[in-house]
Amino acid sequence: GAGVSQSPRYKVAKRGQDVALRCDPISGHVSLFWYQQALGQGPEFLTYFQNEAQLDKSGLPSDRFFAERPEGSVSTLKIQRTQQEDSAVYLCASSSVSSGQPYYGYTFGSGTRLTVV
Amino acid sequence: AQSVSQHNHHVILSEAASLELGCNYSYGGTVNLFWYVQYPGQHLQLLLKYFSGDPLVKGIKGFEAEFIKSKFSFNLRKPSVQWSDTAEYFCAVNAQNTDKLIFGTGTRLQVFP
C-alpha cells in the first residue's frame, strides 16, 4: 500500500482484557518498529523486526506485551491483561533499510489509540 | 543512555514571526538526528535529517536545522512561520549502529494569523 496502515484506529478495553493491534507496513519494507506514545510524551521504542526476526524487544515494558511478524509483513502487537497505564497511542513504522538503521527515516502509521477503562 | 531534551513545550507565534525550537541530546558517540512533525490528526512525518556533512540541513516547507556537535544540539529554525505550521514537533536521535530512535517529548507550536 501507499503508507503504513494500522487498525483499529481506536480501541477501548476493559482492564484485564487482552487486545491485539495490527500493523500493515509498506509493501517490501524489511524493517518494522513499534512505538508507544503516552499523552504529552514523545514516542518510546518498544520493539523492532527485520523481516520475521524480532531483533530488539528491549522496549517492551512487561511480559504482558508481545509482538510478532510471522511472515515478515503484517505485524501484531498483543497486550495481555491490559492495565490503565497501557493507555497510549501505539505507533507502527516501517523502513526499507535492511540494516535497521533509519537512514531514510521511518514511515509512520497513524497509530492505534488504546484506552483502558 | 541516550536522551533527547526539548526545552520548549508550547510555543505560540504570530504569522511571519521567526521560529527556533531547541533540541539537545546526550550521547557521546556518532549520531543521526531527525526532526519529525505531526499535524493535527495526522501521522508523524519526517521534516529533515542529519547524518554527516554540512551541519546546516534544509528540510521541507522552509525548515532548517543546525547540528552543533560541541553543544550536542540540533535546533530547528524557520525564518517566517505560517498558520499551517501549527503542529507538534519532535526531535529524535539515533545512535549509529543501533535500530531505535529516541524522541524528545515534543514541542507544540501554535501559529495565529
Side-chain angles (χ1 to χ4, degrees):
Chain A
V4 177
S5 177
Q6 291 187 247
S7 61
R9 284 296 306 275
Y10 303 93
K11 176 68 179 178
V12 178
K14 291 185 178 179
R15 193 169 54 179
Q17 188 178 350
D18 297 350
V19 298
L21 312 179
R22 178 188 168 104
C23 172
D24 259 294
I26 291 174
S27 178
H29 273 194
V30 171
S31 299
L32 185 145
F33 304 81
W34 284 98
Y35 282 78
Q36 180 191 58
Q37 186 174 15
L39 190 64
Q41 300 297 315
E44 291 194 4
F45 173 83
L46 292 177
T47 187
Y48 155 60
F49 289 87
Q50 188 175 120
N51 296 306
E52 68 278 5
Q54 190 174 20
L55 298 187
D56 188 343
K57 54 181 181 179
S58 61
L60 295 176
S62 76
D63 58 8
R64 296 185 296 104
F65 286 71
F66 173 75
E68 59 184 7
R69 194 186 185 199
E71 297 178 358
S73 55
V74 171
S75 177
T76 303
L77 176 67
K78 298 179 179 178
I79 309 173
Q80 297 177 323
R81 305 181 304 281
T82 52
Q83 299 177 6
Q84 282 191 318
E85 60 261 32
D86 299 335
S87 295
V89 176
Y90 289 85
L91 298 169
C92 178
S94 70
S95 168
S96 60
V97 179
S98 60
S99 69
Q101 283 284 292
Y103 190 84
Y104 301 106
Y106 305 157
T107 300
F108 279 90
S110 297
T112 294
R113 182 178 296 278
L114 173 65
T115 304
V116 181
V117 297
Chain B
Q2 302 163 50
S3 66
V4 177
S5 298
Q6 291 184 245
H7 314 295
N8 318 101
H9 297 292
H10 190 189
V11 173
I12 301 173
L13 295 173
S14 299
E15 274 193 319
S18 64
L19 170 72
E20 180 160 4
L21 302 182
C23 172
N24 287 87
Y25 67 94
S26 65
Y27 181 70
T30 304
V31 295
N32 301 317
L33 297 156
F34 304 81
W35 275 96
Y36 280 84
V37 60
Q38 189 168 29
Y39 298 103
Q42 297 188 27
H43 60 275
L44 280 164
Q45 300 172 44
L46 183 65
L47 201 54
L48 50 76
K49 58 188 183 289
Y50 172 80
F51 298 114
S52 63
D54 188 345
L56 185 61
V57 179
K58 294 193 184 299
I60 60 172
K61 303 186 180 185
F63 286 91
E64 64 178 31
E66 184 176 12
F67 171 49
I68 302 179
K69 191 175 181 179
S70 61
K71 295 185 177 180
F72 297 89
S73 70
F74 190 56
N75 292 354
L76 181 70
R77 299 194 294 250
K78 185 170 184 178
S80 176
V81 295
Q82 300 173 321
W83 175 79
S84 58
D85 292 325
T86 294
E88 188 137 23
Y89 292 81
F90 293 93
C91 181
V93 63
N94 156 249
Q96 286 196 354
N97 302 316
T98 68
D99 48 69
K100 66 190 75 166
L101 282 178
I102 308 298
F103 285 85
T105 53
T107 297
R108 185 180 171 210
L109 172 66
Q110 280 184 293
V111 180
F112 290 95

